[in-house]
Amino acid sequence: PGVPSRLTVALVVSAIAKLGNRNGCSYKEIVKAVLKKGGPPNVMFVLKPVLLKAKKQGALKQSTEGKWFLAKGGNVATKGTASIAGLQGAGRLHRRPRGPRIRRRSRSRRRGKGYDKCYG
């Protein structure tokens, strides 16, 4: 009766927040924390898609070592009600690089000037 049948983004985010590890939380630490918070017994099998969903919603971030962090302003996706279909196209907008724009010479201007070695 007290065990939820589904694992939600809100439960995972609150479990990671409760851990409070500034260096990030490993997968095993998150599983233990979710079980301690009263998550479903099959957490090991359903945690990965929920973590990826939370990452897509902007509630969590993943480091290159595979550790999970709370994103700044991570309370955006704590409800866990947003569907994945509603998030498709919510990617980051393309940003132009700062600094002066370097113009590329046309192929005819490059001939015989040693540019062919650089550009191929």
Side-chain angles (χ1 to χ4, degrees):
V3 178
S5 60
R6 287 179 58 105
L7 187 63
T8 61
V9 171
L11 185 67
V12 172
V13 169
S14 63
I16 293 173
K18 188 118 181 158
L19 285 171
N21 194 346
R22 298 191 76 165
N23 298 326
C25 304
S26 68
Y27 190 78
K28 281 186 177 181
E29 291 172 341
I30 296 169
V31 168
K32 287 178 186 175
V34 169
L35 285 172
K36 198 179 271 189
K37 267 191 119 7
N42 64 342
V43 174
M44 286 286 277
F45 306 106
V46 293
L47 182 61
K48 186 115 186 179
V50 174
L51 285 173
L52 293 175
K53 185 175 181 181
K55 182 180 175 183
K56 199 167 194 176
Q57 290 178 356
L60 297 177
K61 285 187 179 179
Q62 189 178 19
S63 70
T64 52
E65 297 91 37
K67 299 226 176 181
W68 292 90
F69 297 90
L70 284 178
K72 290 184 181 175
N75 57 358
V76 176
T78 53
K79 292 183 188 76
T81 54
S83 66
I84 292 178
L87 289 169
Q88 281 181 342
R92 204 176 275 179
L93 291 173
H94 178 70
R95 280 182 35 191
R96 283 188 57 210
R98 293 189 178 172
R101 186 170 171 222
I102 299 167
R103 298 180 107 177
R104 189 171 177 198
R105 286 183 170 236
S106 67
R107 192 174 284 281
S108 61
R109 297 250 183 221
R110 280 187 257 147
R111 298 236 187 265
K113 302 215 171 30
Y115 286 105
D116 288 336
K117 292 174 191 147
C118 301
Y119 290 104

